[in-house]
Amino acid sequence: LRWIHPVHGHISPAEFIPLAEKSGLIVALGEWVLTEACRNCRTWRGHRATRTGVAVNVSAAQFEQADFSRRVATLLAKTGLSPSLLTIELTESILMRDLTRAREHLNKLRNLGVRVALDDFGTGYSSLSYLTTLPADAIKLDRSFVQREFSSPTGILASLVQMAHGIGLRVVAEGVETRAQYQKLLSIDCDQLQGYYFSEPLPAGEVAAFLETRNGPSTELDHAPAAQLAP
């Protein structure tokens, strides 16, 4: 999400997201982001990469709404996007606030057909043991965790990927910036890669052109840019 102000220019989300959370505007903003992401994904689906889906970060305030899953179902119906093409990304800190409520909400989302990814893995609690009790589809390795691994010969990353696969979770590596990182992550069977190595974040309207340049359909190693949504 980017704020392009007519006077002050580009304002970083690091500046306005905390203010939106503090003021309570994050719920309305988050719902707008979800709607726009799904609407844009419907447009991108008409291009070559026919498996293209969209993943959207959700704030604690949004996720903890009692009717959150109903709101997601409503916007999917409104935009006409297949639930299987939407991934909701949640940080561990959000889930750990109330695991019982988190499991209830995640089950409702997955019953809709929506996918769930646990974001920023490697920065918080980061225990695979509790992941076995949460209905999720993937974990996203935080960029700091990925970068740290490349400065150490411990092989923790490969072990983590193997264990995640063992409990049925896909693994997405964030912050891929170099060819060496790309090749290593590919060699340890990481399912998806994300980062500047593939593309800088693009305005939503430019994503279609990016998809047209891809060589054929997605393979088991998926990569795509982040789309910038600007209100």
Side-chain angles (χ1 to χ4, degrees), residues 110-188:
R110 296 189 79 208
N111 286 339
L112 290 174
V114 173
R115 299 180 182 183
V116 174
L118 308 182
D119 199 15
D120 296 343
F121 193 86
T123 60
Y125 189 69
S126 302
S127 170
L128 284 172
S129 61
Y130 87 88
L131 293 182
T132 61
T133 69
L134 286 172
D137 300 279
I139 59 173
K140 298 192 70 175
L141 303 177
D142 185 73
R143 61 175 295 123
S144 64
F145 186 81
V146 172
Q147 300 290 339
R148 185 169 67 246
E149 173 67 10
F150 279 91
S151 64
S152 168
T154 58
I156 294 174
L157 198 57
S159 299
L160 181 56
V161 171
Q162 185 177 7
M163 287 188 289
H165 286 167
I167 58 176
L169 293 171
R170 291 170 61 83
V171 181
V172 183
E174 299 180 298
V176 181
E177 297 180 356
T178 68
R179 179 72 179 176
Q181 292 171 348
Y182 169 88
Q183 290 176 327
K184 181 171 182 178
L185 290 163
L186 180 61
S187 72
I188 63 174

Side-chain angles (χ1 to χ4, degrees), residues 8 32 38 40 50 80-81 88 94 100 130 138-139 160 167 171 203 226 231:
H8 303 293
W32 179 86
C38 291
N40 277 286
T50 56
L81 186 70
I88 296 293
I94 292 175
T100 299
Y130 87 88
I139 59 173
L160 181 56
I167 58 176
V171 181

Side-chain angles (χ1 to χ4, degrees), residues 17-67:
I17 292 296
L19 292 175
E21 291 175 335
K22 185 176 180 179
S23 68
L25 290 174
I26 193 66
V27 174
L29 183 60
E31 191 156 326
W32 179 86
V33 168
L34 264 173
T35 302
E36 285 298 292
C38 291
R39 184 182 64 80
N40 277 286
C41 188
R42 279 276 293 173
T43 300
W44 302 330
R45 290 281 293 173
H47 295 267
R48 182 180 300 173
T50 56
R51 289 175 52 206
T52 299
V54 65
V56 183
N57 293 96
V58 170
S59 71
Q62 279 179 276
F63 183 67
E64 291 172 354
Q65 294 176 107
D67 62 345

Side-chain angles (χ1 to χ4, degrees), residues 159-227:
S159 299
L160 181 56
V161 171
Q162 185 177 7
M163 287 188 289
H165 286 167
I167 58 176
L169 293 171
R170 291 170 61 83
V171 181
V172 183
E174 299 180 298
V176 181
E177 297 180 356
T178 68
R179 179 72 179 176
Q181 292 171 348
Y182 169 88
Q183 290 176 327
K184 181 171 182 178
L185 290 163
L186 180 61
S187 72
I188 63 174
D189 297 325
C190 195
D191 300 291
Q192 290 180 302
L193 309 181
Q194 173 182 322
Y196 278 33
Y197 179 72
F198 307 108
S199 173
E200 294 185 2
L202 300 174
E206 294 181 15
V207 173
F210 176 90
L211 297 177
E212 288 291 348
T213 67
R214 299 180 66 177
N215 295 320
S218 299
T219 64
E220 58 201 10
L221 177 71
D222 297 321
H223 59 269

